[in-house]
């Protein structure tokens, strides 16, 4: 008789949704103790220069080592963390851990920029600039070694306020990148208002290269436009040589993806840099 109720049936009463809600509560509870119990870790994925830049850079990506569920990826907990507000404390932990890692690498003679993903909630409900300033100071980090990745979703908040905060971060010497470009609002008019250093083209466009005509046009236009605005470009999700060759031809600055490396544990990062310095 569920069928008779058809489309008018409340989603809420379906067993599937009940399970979802239970699972959500379970994750929310778990997140509360995860910080205290040190269950998070950062993995690091290299962003490789394919242009003139000699800069080393890596992106920090969070993982949750759940005591019974095993490894949980951000797709399964970030939005719940955002809804419940725990993202603020997780964000502080990410900032601190990334800065600590920058200083550990630097002490080993490895000088690299690390970018961290920041939630719109951190702009709205915390003093991100102050947190970044004090954490840089705590670990004696050169601000140019830290990058903040935001997505277009921050612009659902007060645009002017967000721009002010981005400018304050830039004034500290930190760089800003716009993640997943092309999937959100992608309003070209705000691009020139934003204090951006890097634009990251979303994987969905890269995965259709080099043969899809639409993706070709989009990627080519994004790169040309970014360069005209003095913004560098990272292609996300580069998985094969044909994509890489095409992106090189278009003058893309950096590539990130499984072709070069999956996100790495810190010890693998050391191995990688050792192998690079041998060459
Ligand atoms: P993102 O920032 O766009 O990160 C890129 C995602 O693509 C990562 O997924 C990465 O593992 C994956 N990736 C990299 N290269 C390839 C490739 O060649 N092919 C494919 N198929 N995937 C690739 P991950 O680590 O699961 O993170 C997913 C998203 O979760 C991130 O997307 C970011 O939005 C969010 N996230 C990750 N770490 C954090 C964090 O510390 N804080 C916040 N607020 N969000 C985070
Ligand atoms: Mg990112
Ligand atoms: Mg992305
Ligand atoms: Mg993303």
């Amino acid at each position: 008789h569920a069928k008779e109720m058809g489309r008018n049936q409340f989603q809420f009463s379906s067993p599937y949704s009940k399970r979802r809600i239970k699972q959500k509560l379970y994750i929310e509870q778990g997140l509360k103790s995860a910080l205290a119990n040190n269950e998070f870790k950062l993995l690091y994925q290299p962003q490789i220069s394919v242009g003139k830049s000699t800069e080393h850079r890596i992106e920090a990506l969070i993982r949750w080592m759940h005591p019974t569920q095993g490894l949980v990826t951000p797709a399964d907990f970030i939005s719940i963390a955002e809804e419940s507000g725990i993202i603020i404390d997780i964000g502080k932990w990410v900032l601190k851990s990334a800065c600590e890692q920058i200083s550990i690498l630097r002490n080993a003679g490895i000088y690299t920029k690390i970018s961290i993903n920041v939630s719109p909630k951190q702009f709205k409900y915390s003093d991100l600039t102050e947190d970044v300033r004090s954490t840089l100071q705590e670990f004696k980090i050169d601000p140019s070694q830290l990058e903040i990745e935001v997505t277009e979703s921050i612009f659902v908040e007060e645009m002017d306020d967000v721009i002010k905060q981005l400018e304050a971060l830039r004034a500290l010497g930190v760089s800003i990148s716009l993640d997943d470009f092309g999937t959100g609002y992608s309003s070209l008019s705000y691009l020139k208002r934003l204090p951006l250093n890097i634009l990251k083209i979303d994987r969905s466009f890269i995965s259709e290269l080099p043969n899809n005509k639409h993706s070709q046009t989009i990627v080519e236009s994004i790169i040309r436009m970014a360069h005209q605005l003095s913004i560098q470009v990272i292609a996300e999700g580069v998985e094969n040589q044909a994509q890489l060759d095409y992106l090189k031809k278009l003058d893309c600055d950096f590539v990130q993806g499984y072709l070069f490396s999956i996100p790495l544990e810190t010890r693998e990062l050391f191995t990688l840099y050792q192998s690079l310095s041998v060459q």
Side-chain angles (χ1 to χ4, degrees), residues 117 151 179-180 202 236:
N117 293 280
T151 60
D179 204 353
D180 303 344
D202 191 68
E236 296 192 272

Side-chain angles (χ1 to χ4, degrees), residues 45 59 62-63 74 94 117 179-180 203 236-237 239 257-258 263:
Q45 188 177 35
E59 177 175 9
I62 197 169
R63 296 291 181 270
V94 169
N117 293 280
D179 204 353
D180 303 344
R203 184 172 78 224
E236 296 192 272
E239 293 182 349
Y258 298 161

Side-chain angles (χ1 to χ4, degrees), residues 56 108-111 260 269-279:
H56 286 293
I110 300 162
Y111 193 88
F260 190 82
L269 204 56
F270 277 99
T271 314
L272 175 77
Y273 278 110
Q274 268 153 14
S275 73
L276 288 178
S277 62
V278 168
Q279 286 172 359

